[in-house]
Amino acid sequence: MDKEHSYTIGIDFGTLSARAAVVRVSDGKTLGTAVHAYESAVMDKTLSCADGQELPADFALQNASDYIRAIKETVPAALQEAGVSASEVIALGVDTTSASVVFAAEDGTPMSEIEQFRNNPHAYVKLWKHHGAAEQADRIQSLAAERQEKWLARYGGIISSELLLPKALEVFEKAPEVYKATGAITDAMDWINWRLTGVHKQSAGPSGYKRIYQDGEYPSTEYLEALAEGFGDVYEQKMSAPIVQLAEPVAGLSEEAAEWTGLKVGTTVVAGSIDAHAHALGVNAIEDGVMTIIAGTSSVLLVSDKDFHFVPGVFGTVDGGICPGKWGYEAGQTAVGDIFGWFKDTFVPLRYYEEADEKGINVHDLLTQKAMEQNIGEHGLVALDWHNGNRSILSDPRLAGMVLGKTLSTQPEDIYRALIEASIFGGKTIIDNFVEHGVEIKEVVIAGGLLKNPIYTQGYADVTGLPISISATEQAGALGSAIFAAVAAGAYEDVYEAAAAMGKKIEAKYKPIPENVEAYRPLYETYRELHDYFGRENTDIMHRLRKIRNEARSK
């Protein structure tokens, strides 16, 4: 194969938009890109693409048809920018947020596109950050613990409402008419590949992390029937498609999808991956002890190890889940950039916007500039980064954010910096938890939008005491999917060889500054006190407030 003149395409489906990249197989150089924002974005207030009905608290939905429109818009545009012909593209790969769950008919049609369900919220994609199934997740976890189900340890003993099974149970119980008519419950990347190829297969990595597929088995029919009468055959009836391993082909591109993309019929489509996991390949951070942090609207923390370790509070531990031959560990934070955006949109006064306009910068940059003028700890604040619940290590979607220490002299930049620091402290808590349970962390590689924030990047080095490498590409997710595609097409022997040739990172871009390490220590200790007080010892306080809120809203 002439790698210098062979190309793969990666499509990275994020929370708000999709990005396609055309990548040269020989060295991973990105030659063309295109981005498309989803028309319906995230529906968390109203069902805006249908009848506009108000949605319950903690819902986060998407419209599956937005994913297809994104393919049609991005792939041809990226090809045009790259100047690459369809005959030179050897394979295509996709990654998506997860578990973003599609409920589809037997032919793959989303239930939301069937007329009788068009105005039913449960017919739409349940996005990764949909927490409407928190009660179902609690029951799944408690019954598994009671029955001593072996698979529970692979999820740190805690089942998150972000996983697929709680969302499936939610539809079974809350919208039985939708559930009954559903032919397939599938993660978004598998549904997209189904539409691209006409072949429905389920990717092994997401199956392990999000669908509780461990050691070649799903939870037993007996367990599922004890969970809810009539739910025992959910895997057999609605998730029985074959499992395909990461970096292996699903099938060739269909005629319909070839028309969408401008690619050749039969072009190899590789098994889909979770977006964060594709980032790990894109920055060549797949060796043991190298953690990838994908920091954007939320964050995901990934690390591989040759051995299995029981790590409480992780989001999932899967053999071959990130790369073949290694145990892949996943943890995360349900809101990071979303918190900073929420604060900017909700609490920053008009004069800051006016000042930013005068300086020709955006408000985030202005707040960062002002915050960087402070000494560490000068604001006198510590925040908890639970504004969308806690994914790791507490796995409790009913926890809430807070900022402690505000006075009448507190300024917006003080709170903004405290929120950034809280996100770093939350990451440090996750790293400490891994290390305490036997998983080595020797380097951190950060990718994602928050690379642009110097408080965040240097702060991670100072708080963790570790060297921080960074992504050398803005399209690490799409690049990772393109790397998987290159292996599926036979350009490389395995993902390790491919990532070494095609992955992009700048090593040790940020190093710990000793005086900063010491200055952050008492702030982090205070964060951990608050973390344990509200997240472990007195969870009823935040749970009670959320219950009061939900009851008031329902009146």
Side-chain angles (χ1 to χ4, degrees):
M1 179 183 295
D2 179 7
K3 295 179 184 176
E4 188 67 27
H5 297 95
S6 297
Y7 306 90
T8 54
I9 295 176
I11 314 176
D12 174 29
F13 290 85
T15 300
L16 296 174
S17 62
R19 300 163 179 80
V22 178
V23 175
R24 188 163 59 204
V25 170
S26 61
D27 60 1
K29 182 177 181 179
T30 298
L31 301 176
T33 63
V35 179
H36 178 75
Y38 308 138
E39 283 80 354
S40 301
V42 177
M43 296 179 287
D44 54 8
K45 297 291 189 299
T46 64
L47 195 63
S48 58
C49 69
D51 62 0
Q53 66 178 278
E54 185 175 347
L55 295 173
D58 302 320
F59 267 47
L61 308 177
Q62 286 194 318
N63 187 351
S65 63
D66 285 349
Y67 304 151
I68 303 303
R69 280 193 287 271
I71 293 170
K72 294 177 180 179
E73 293 291 331
T74 60
V75 175
L79 280 170
Q80 183 176 8
E81 181 176 282
V84 168
S85 68
S87 62
E88 296 174 296
V89 176
I90 60 173
L92 178 148
V94 305
D95 63 84
T96 71
T97 61
S98 182
S100 293
V101 184
V102 181
F103 295 81
E106 290 185 359
D107 65 355
T109 301
M111 301 308 292
S112 58
E113 294 182 10
I114 297 174
E115 186 59 36
Q116 71 185 97
F117 302 125
R118 194 171 299 278
N119 295 322
N120 190 320
H122 291 287
Y124 286 81
V125 179
K126 291 185 182 290
L127 190 60
W128 65 270
K129 62 179 180 178
H130 173 86
H131 291 309
E135 186 266 334
Q136 286 78 12
D138 288 346
R139 286 164 44 209
I140 291 168
Q141 176 184 315
S142 61
L143 181 62
E146 177 186 326
R147 291 169 54 92
Q148 298 183 334
E149 298 285 346
K150 292 188 295 184
W151 48 261
L152 186 60
R154 300 286 177 85
Y155 303 90
I158 298 173
I159 295 299
S160 168
S161 61
E162 294 180 35
L163 298 186
L164 185 148
L165 189 61
K167 293 169 181 172
L169 181 58
E170 178 192 17
V171 174
F172 174 80
E173 295 179 333
K174 300 294 180 64
E177 69 282 6
V178 174
Y179 182 86
K180 183 178 180 180
T182 294
I185 302 173
T186 185
D187 215 332
M189 77 288 292
D190 297 327
W191 179 80
I192 291 168
N193 277 346
W194 188 2
R195 296 302 301 268
L196 287 172
T197 66
V199 176
H200 185 201
K201 293 183 180 179
Q202 299 173 130
S203 181
S207 294
Y209 285 103
K210 311 299 182 179
R211 202 162 46 243
I212 314 183
Y213 182 75
Q214 295 284 353
D215 299 327
E217 297 179 343
Y218 292 115
S220 68
T221 300
E222 180 185 6
Y223 164 81
L224 294 164
E225 195 64 25
L227 185 63
E229 185 177 353
F231 193 62
D233 62 358
V234 61
Y235 287 106
E236 179 183 348
Q237 295 298 320
K238 302 185 188 297
M239 289 183 273
S240 60
I243 301 292
V244 59
Q245 297 298 316
L246 292 170
E248 291 185 357
V250 173
L253 204 65
S254 69
E255 289 187 11
E256 181 181 35
E259 291 182 6
W260 297 345
T261 60
L263 297 174
K264 292 177 62 177
V265 174
T267 299
T268 297
V269 177
V270 70
S273 63
I274 298 170
D275 57 348
H277 299 190
H279 277 75
L281 265 72
V283 297
N284 189 24
I286 55 177
E287 297 301 325
D288 290 3
V290 180
M291 171 171 278
T292 309
I293 299 178
I294 303 89
T297 55
S298 61
S299 79
V300 177
L301 295 85
L302 303 169
V303 66
S304 295
D305 195 286
K306 67 181 186 304
D307 297 319
F308 172 77
H309 305 273
F310 172 71
V311 184
V314 297
F315 201 52
T317 307
V318 177
D319 187 6
I322 301 173
C323 293
K326 296 181 184 290
W327 288 91
Y329 297 82
E330 177 182 334
Q333 296 159 283
T334 50
V336 181
D338 273 351
I339 299 176
F340 313 152
W342 160 82
F343 176 75
K344 175 188 74 72
D345 294 341
T346 309
F347 296 107
V348 175
L350 178 60
R351 68 179 188 275
Y352 278 68
Y353 284 84
E354 293 172 342
E355 183 179 348
D357 285 342
E358 290 174 4
K359 292 183 175 181
I361 59 177
N362 64 46
V363 176
H364 283 294
D365 290 340
L366 178 66
L367 288 166
T368 299
Q369 287 179 7
K370 290 178 177 290
M372 288 183 67
E373 295 172 0
Q374 301 177 0
N375 294 321
I376 294 170
E378 185 178 331
H379 51 47
L381 306 173
V382 172
L384 289 175
D385 54 318
W386 301 342
H387 295 67
N388 194 31
N390 178 282
R391 178 185 292 166
S392 303
I393 53 177
L394 303 171
S395 193
D396 187 343
R398 288 165 293 192
L399 295 176
M402 65 176 293
V403 181
L404 185 65
K406 297 187 298 296
T407 70
L408 294 179
S409 64
T410 299
Q411 297 297 305
E413 58 267 28
D414 300 337
I415 299 174
Y416 192 76
R417 178 166 185 139
L419 292 172
I420 294 173
E421 291 170 344
S423 294
I424 299 169
F425 296 156
K428 165 72 168 166
T429 301
I430 293 168
I431 291 171
D432 288 351
N433 187 53
F434 273 123
V435 173
E436 288 166 10
H437 292 89
V439 180
E440 179 187 25
I441 309 292
K442 60 187 179 184
E443 178 190 359
V444 171
V445 185
I446 298 179
L450 289 178
L451 281 178
K452 300 173 184 177
N453 190 294
I455 298 175
Y456 188 84
T457 47
Q458 183 60 53
Y460 242 106
D462 295 336
V463 171
T464 64
L466 294 169
I468 304 298
S469 303
I470 65 170
S471 171
T473 173
E474 293 184 359
Q475 306 294 348
L479 174 57
S481 286
I483 291 172
F484 274 128
V487 178
Y492 290 96
E493 185 70 24
D494 55 38
V495 295
Y496 303 100
E497 181 185 8
M502 299 174 69
K504 306 291 182 185
K505 72 176 177 180
I506 301 171
E507 294 189 3
K509 174 69 174 178
Y510 299 92
K511 297 177 181 178
I513 299 171
E515 54 267 35
N516 290 356
V517 173
E518 292 304 313
Y520 271 124
R521 197 181 308 278
L523 286 174
Y524 177 62
E525 291 172 355
T526 304
Y527 173 91
R528 287 303 301 266
E529 287 182 39
L530 294 173
H531 175 279
D532 291 347
Y533 182 84
F534 286 105
R536 286 181 166 145
E537 300 159 10
N538 296 278
T539 57
D540 62 304
I541 296 174
M542 291 184 178
H543 290 181
R544 191 186 319 138
L545 288 172
R546 186 171 290 257
K547 183 174 183 289
I548 292 169
R549 181 203 70 175
N550 291 345
E551 289 175 351
R553 285 183 174 180
S554 66
K555 291 180 180 178

